[in-house]
Protein backbone atom coordinates (compact mmCIF):
# COMPACT_ATOMS: atom_id res chain seq x y z
CA UNK A 1 0.00 0.00 0.00
CA UNK A 2 2.78 2.42 0.83
CA UNK A 3 4.42 1.93 -2.57
CA UNK A 4 1.13 2.46 -4.42
CA UNK A 5 0.50 5.76 -2.65
CA UNK A 6 4.01 6.98 -3.38
CA UNK A 7 3.71 6.01 -7.06
CA UNK A 8 0.31 7.67 -7.38
CA UNK A 9 1.59 10.87 -5.76
CA UNK A 10 4.64 11.02 -8.02
CA UNK A 11 2.63 10.39 -11.18
CA UNK A 12 0.26 13.22 -10.29
CA UNK A 13 3.17 15.45 -9.37
CA UNK A 14 5.05 14.80 -12.62
CA UNK A 15 1.92 14.61 -14.76
CA UNK A 16 4.17 13.02 -17.36
CA UNK A 17 5.79 16.36 -18.14
CA UNK A 18 2.56 17.89 -19.40
CA UNK A 19 2.62 21.25 -17.69
CA UNK A 20 1.20 24.38 -19.32
CA UNK A 21 4.53 25.39 -20.85
CA UNK A 22 5.12 21.96 -22.41
CA UNK A 23 1.56 21.77 -23.71
CA UNK A 24 1.90 25.25 -25.22
CA UNK A 25 5.15 24.28 -26.97
CA UNK A 26 3.69 21.00 -28.27
CA UNK A 27 0.61 22.83 -29.55
CA UNK A 28 2.70 25.44 -31.34
CA UNK A 29 4.79 22.71 -33.00
CA UNK A 30 1.64 20.84 -34.01
CA UNK A 31 0.22 23.90 -35.76
CA UNK A 32 3.50 24.41 -37.62
CA UNK A 33 3.58 20.74 -38.61
CA UNK A 34 0.17 21.13 -40.29
CA UNK A 35 0.94 24.54 -41.82
CA UNK A 36 -1.52 26.44 -39.68
CA UNK A 37 -0.52 29.99 -38.77
CA UNK A 38 -1.87 32.90 -36.75
CA UNK A 39 -2.91 36.07 -38.50
CA UNK A 40 -1.70 39.33 -36.98
CA UNK A 41 -3.98 40.80 -34.33
CA UNK A 42 -6.06 37.62 -34.10
CA UNK A 43 -6.44 34.89 -31.53
CA UNK A 44 -7.17 32.48 -34.40
CA UNK A 45 -4.90 30.49 -36.69
CA UNK A 46 -5.86 29.41 -40.21
CA UNK A 47 -4.61 26.83 -42.73
CA UNK A 48 -2.12 27.96 -45.34
CA UNK A 49 -4.46 27.13 -48.25
CA UNK A 50 -7.05 29.63 -49.56
CA UNK A 51 -10.34 29.55 -47.67
CA UNK A 52 -13.81 31.05 -48.02
CA UNK A 53 -14.46 32.10 -44.42
CA UNK A 54 -16.66 35.19 -44.13
CA UNK A 55 -18.09 36.89 -41.07
CA UNK A 56 -21.66 36.07 -42.10
CA UNK A 57 -20.96 32.42 -42.98
CA UNK A 58 -23.98 30.12 -42.59
CA UNK A 59 -23.50 26.76 -40.91
CA UNK A 60 -20.58 26.36 -38.51
CA UNK A 61 -19.37 23.45 -36.41
CA UNK A 62 -17.62 24.24 -33.14
CA UNK A 63 -15.28 21.80 -31.44
CA UNK A 64 -14.45 22.37 -27.79
CA UNK A 65 -11.28 21.56 -25.86
CA UNK A 66 -9.59 22.17 -22.56
CA UNK A 67 -5.93 22.35 -21.68
CA UNK A 68 -5.56 18.62 -21.05
CA UNK A 69 -7.10 17.42 -24.33
CA UNK A 70 -6.32 20.26 -26.76
CA UNK A 71 -3.34 18.59 -28.41
CA UNK A 72 -5.16 15.29 -28.88
CA UNK A 73 -8.24 16.96 -30.36
CA UNK A 74 -6.18 19.25 -32.62
CA UNK A 75 -4.07 16.35 -33.88
CA UNK A 76 -7.15 14.25 -34.71
CA UNK A 77 -8.87 17.12 -36.50
CA UNK A 78 -5.79 18.30 -38.41
CA UNK A 79 -5.01 14.74 -39.51
CA UNK A 80 -8.58 14.25 -40.74
CA UNK A 81 -8.54 17.63 -42.43
CA UNK A 82 -5.58 16.65 -44.59
CA UNK A 83 -8.06 14.47 -46.46
CA UNK A 84 -11.05 16.84 -46.54
CA UNK A 85 -9.53 20.36 -46.58
CA UNK A 86 -12.36 21.99 -44.65
CA UNK A 87 -12.29 25.73 -44.15
CA UNK A 88 -11.53 26.19 -40.47
CA UNK A 89 -9.94 28.26 -37.79
CA UNK A 90 -8.31 27.06 -34.58
CA UNK A 91 -7.29 28.93 -31.46
CA UNK A 92 -3.69 30.01 -32.02
CA UNK A 93 -2.22 29.27 -28.60
CA UNK A 94 -2.80 27.47 -25.33
CA UNK A 95 -2.88 30.75 -23.35
CA UNK A 96 -5.65 31.97 -25.69
CA UNK A 97 -7.52 28.68 -25.16
CA UNK A 98 -7.40 29.20 -21.41
CA UNK A 99 -8.63 32.78 -21.76
CA UNK A 100 -11.38 31.66 -24.15
CA UNK A 101 -12.63 29.04 -21.70
CA UNK A 102 -12.62 31.56 -18.84
CA UNK A 103 -14.89 33.90 -20.80
CA UNK A 104 -12.23 36.53 -21.43
CA UNK A 105 -13.50 37.02 -25.01
CA UNK A 106 -17.18 36.94 -24.01
CA UNK A 107 -19.51 34.24 -22.76
CA UNK A 108 -20.61 33.31 -26.28
CA UNK A 109 -17.03 32.31 -27.08
CA UNK A 110 -16.51 29.90 -24.16
CA UNK A 111 -15.66 26.43 -25.40
CA UNK A 112 -14.69 27.37 -28.94
CA UNK A 113 -11.43 25.72 -29.93
CA UNK A 114 -11.90 24.84 -33.60
CA UNK A 115 -14.57 26.26 -35.89
CA UNK A 116 -15.26 24.34 -39.09
CA UNK A 117 -16.98 26.07 -42.01
CA UNK A 118 -18.49 23.25 -44.09
CA UNK A 119 -19.61 23.68 -47.68
CA UNK A 120 -23.09 25.19 -47.35
CA UNK A 121 -24.67 23.19 -50.16
CA UNK A 122 -23.33 19.92 -48.73
CA UNK A 123 -24.85 20.72 -45.33
CA UNK A 124 -28.31 21.39 -46.66
CA UNK A 125 -28.18 18.27 -48.88
CA UNK A 126 -27.08 16.17 -45.90
CA UNK A 127 -29.79 17.53 -43.61
Amino acid sequence: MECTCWLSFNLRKKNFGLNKENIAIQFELLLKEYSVARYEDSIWAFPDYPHRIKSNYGWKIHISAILTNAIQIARKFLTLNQKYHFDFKIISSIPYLEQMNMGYFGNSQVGKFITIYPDQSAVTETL
Side-chain angles (χ1 to χ4, degrees):
M1 183 78 168
E2 196 172 311
C3 181
T4 304
C5 293
W6 177 85
L7 178 61
S8 175
F9 172 76
N10 280 319
L11 289 178
R12 279 186 302 208
K13 186 177 175 185
K14 285 187 175 182
N15 199 21
F16 295 98
L18 292 180
N19 59 40
K20 286 183 189 181
E21 294 80 21
N22 287 345
I23 293 171
I25 291 167
Q26 289 179 27
F27 186 73
E28 185 178 328
L29 292 172
L30 182 66
L31 293 182
K32 286 181 183 176
E33 177 185 341
Y34 285 90
S35 300
V36 177
R38 178 178 171 231
Y39 283 174
E40 286 185 36
D41 301 326
S42 176
I43 63 168
W44 299 105
F46 299 86
D48 68 350
Y49 53 80
H51 53 78
R52 301 172 304 272
I53 299 172
K54 301 179 283 190
S55 62
N56 62 348
Y57 206 90
W59 291 91
K60 300 175 189 173
I61 301 168
H62 297 290
I63 300 174
S64 299
I66 58 174
L67 181 69
T68 56
N69 65 10
I71 292 173
Q72 180 183 12
I73 290 171
R75 185 179 313 283
K76 285 183 179 184
F77 170 75
L78 293 169
T79 300
L80 177 70
N81 199 52
Q82 285 185 313
K83 178 179 180 181
Y84 294 103
H85 296 285
F86 293 120
D87 290 337
F88 74 94
K89 65 182 180 184
I90 185 170
I91 202 78
S92 65
S93 72
I94 293 300
Y96 281 143
L97 175 62
E98 289 183 298
Q99 291 175 350
M100 180 78 72
N101 285 339
M102 289 188 296
Y104 184 81
F105 301 107
N107 290 337
S108 67
Q109 301 303 305
V110 172
K112 293 180 181 176
F113 176 57
I114 301 171
T115 302
I116 304 169
Y117 300 85
D119 178 48
Q120 300 300 289
S121 61
V123 172
T124 53
E125 289 173 14
T126 303
L127 293 177

